Amino acid sequence: MASSPDIPSADNTPENPGSGSPSDTPQSTGTTEGEPRRGRVRARRAAVMAVPATVALAGLAVFTAQGILGVSFSISGMPFTVTAKSLDGTGFEQFGGLDNMIKDSPNEGDTGGQVLIVTSAIKKATLDSLCQSVDLGGVNLLIKAGSGSSKVEATDLTTDSTELTGNASFNNIEIGNDASTLDKAGVKGPEGVFSQQADTVHIDNLRQTNYATTAAVFKLPGLKLSFSDSGC
């Protein structure tokens, strides 16, 4: 496993090899008030080289021990739910990720402003009966589209998720790739990061908890936006 590229703190010297970890108590000298948070950040980044994934044709569940930056913008830190009756994708990639909030975000809690996620990239995707909801504190902003004959279509779609469930099948799947060598969806991760990819993916009863989504093109036929007491 490669080591974290972060520069050690003042206390994390050969004479004090244990200092700077999330569980260590800061020393009375040479330690700033923000040191514990930076320790948690380093711990997350240090495990990026070994992101485990479990895939079954009867269901898909991906768990990350740590990750890398999945999107190029600062996330709000508010999770949102996405569901669909089915998803069909051509050119599929998946690898561990780490998303960042703005400095001192009101939503960071005890995360240090970072969220461990799984980045899923699909070159071309079609979704049946898309539903997206975000809890705004007692009321949900609800978006629905593609429930008729016209389905939701997306190109260069990426999602950063902390939870993904459904019944999945893949064609020509490769598991255990180095993320920097991925070539199915046009997205590459850092060197040494665990990843997987496939020519095609099909998921029934898709449900995701996401922190970010990007797409080059996102077509939402029959779009309906509303507020609701319940989410997707």
Side-chain angles (χ1 to χ4, degrees):
M1 177 182 297
S3 61
S4 167
D6 289 356
I7 299 173
S9 67
D11 289 334
N12 194 12
T13 64
E15 291 76 21
N16 281 314
S19 299
S21 69
S23 60
D24 288 341
T25 301
Q27 301 296 316
S28 58
T29 60
T31 303
T32 65
E33 191 175 306
E35 187 69 26
R37 183 203 289 186
R38 291 197 297 271
R40 288 196 295 271
V41 171
R42 285 196 297 272
R44 291 187 180 97
R45 289 175 177 167
V48 66
M49 302 307 180
V51 181
T54 301
V55 178
L57 296 185
L60 173 66
V62 181
F63 307 93
T64 61
Q66 157 36 3
I68 51 87
L69 182 64
V71 294
S72 58
F73 54 85
S74 297
I75 63 170
S76 70
M78 297 178 65
F80 56 96
T81 299
V82 173
T83 66
K85 287 184 179 179
S86 64
L87 177 150
D88 286 284
T90 301
F92 172 80
E93 300 173 358
Q94 199 168 60
F95 50 88
L98 180 65
D99 282 350
N100 293 270
M101 305 175 206
I102 61 172
K103 183 179 180 181
D104 299 323
S105 169
N107 299 318
E108 73 175 40
D110 62 355
T111 66
Q114 296 183 318
V115 178
L116 302 177
I117 52 85
V118 173
T119 295
S120 301
I122 302 176
K123 190 63 179 178
K124 294 184 179 180
T126 302
L127 298 98
D128 182 7
S129 302
L130 174 71
C131 179
Q132 177 179 301
S133 64
V134 57
D135 187 347
L136 301 177
V139 63
N140 290 272
L141 175 61
L142 201 62
I143 297 175
K144 293 186 176 182
S147 58
S149 57
S150 298
K151 309 304 180 187
V152 171
E153 297 180 1
T155 59
D156 297 324
L157 175 69
T158 66
T159 58
D160 287 2
S161 312
T162 54
E163 184 176 359
L164 190 160
T165 61
N167 299 316
S169 60
F170 302 89
N171 284 332
N172 297 324
I173 191 169
E174 302 170 359
I175 302 174
N177 306 61
D178 187 295
S180 67
T181 67
L182 296 176
D183 58 9
K184 301 293 186 181
V187 177
K188 294 184 184 295
E191 297 178 357
V193 174
F194 183 98
S195 67
Q196 56 194 18
Q197 65 177 359
D199 287 345
T200 65
V201 57
H202 175 84
I203 306 177
D204 288 320
N205 302 318
L206 171 69
R207 187 175 188 86
Q208 294 176 299
T209 300
N210 294 343
Y211 277 85
T213 297
T214 65
V217 176
F218 211 4
K219 297 181 179 180
L220 301 170
L223 173 66
K224 180 181 179 181
L225 185 151
S226 62
F227 292 99
S228 174
D229 292 336
S230 59
C232 298

